[in-house]
Amino acid sequence: MEAQIKHYENKLAYEMDPSDLFEALNNGEKIIVIDARRAFGYDEEHIPNALNIPHREMNEETTKHLDKDVLYVTYCTGIGCNASTKGALNMTKLGFKVKELIGGLEWWKIDGFATEGTKGVKQGLKIECAC
């Protein structure tokens, strides 16, 4: 039982689902969302306010402007894509605190959240800040 408890604790320490991310962003938590796909995918559709840093381009130079005291959440298209995992690994190796978004952009939209981009879904729940 101890091993199983540790497994689930580790899973929650390294992953986040779309509703938890949406809630955290709306609560003003220090989170930056990173789309780890190539630019053309980001340009078509992405989570609002996400940065686009393709996992293949993550290095000391391309991340030097980022705050290491913030939690970064990486995502990609969905469960058939591992760009978010590669991005999370790269960011962790570079010394950042990272979680991976479960289900990526696909599950973000299934949960009814808005997206931006040339093919973005404007309707849906939007991230809002009351501060």
Side-chain angles (χ1 to χ4, degrees), residues 85-105:
T85 304
K86 291 176 180 178
L89 177 60
N90 290 343
M91 293 293 287
T92 302
K93 286 180 176 179
L94 290 165
F96 294 95
K97 295 181 286 188
V98 183
K99 286 190 177 188
E100 183 178 9
L101 183 64
I102 299 170
L105 187 61

Side-chain angles (χ1 to χ4, degrees), residues 77-90:
T77 304
I79 61 172
C81 174
N82 66 5
S84 62
T85 304
K86 291 176 180 178
L89 177 60
N90 290 343

Side-chain angles (χ1 to χ4, degrees), residues 48-85:
N49 304 314
L51 300 178
N52 181 223
I53 308 174
H55 70 88
R56 290 175 176 87
E57 299 173 16
M58 290 175 178
N59 57 48
E60 294 278 342
E61 184 63 26
T62 61
T63 61
K64 70 181 179 185
H65 64 288
L66 299 176
D67 183 352
K68 290 202 175 180
D69 292 326
V70 173
L71 174 65
Y72 292 87
V73 177
T74 62
Y75 77 91
C76 57
T77 304
I79 61 172
C81 174
N82 66 5
S84 62
T85 304

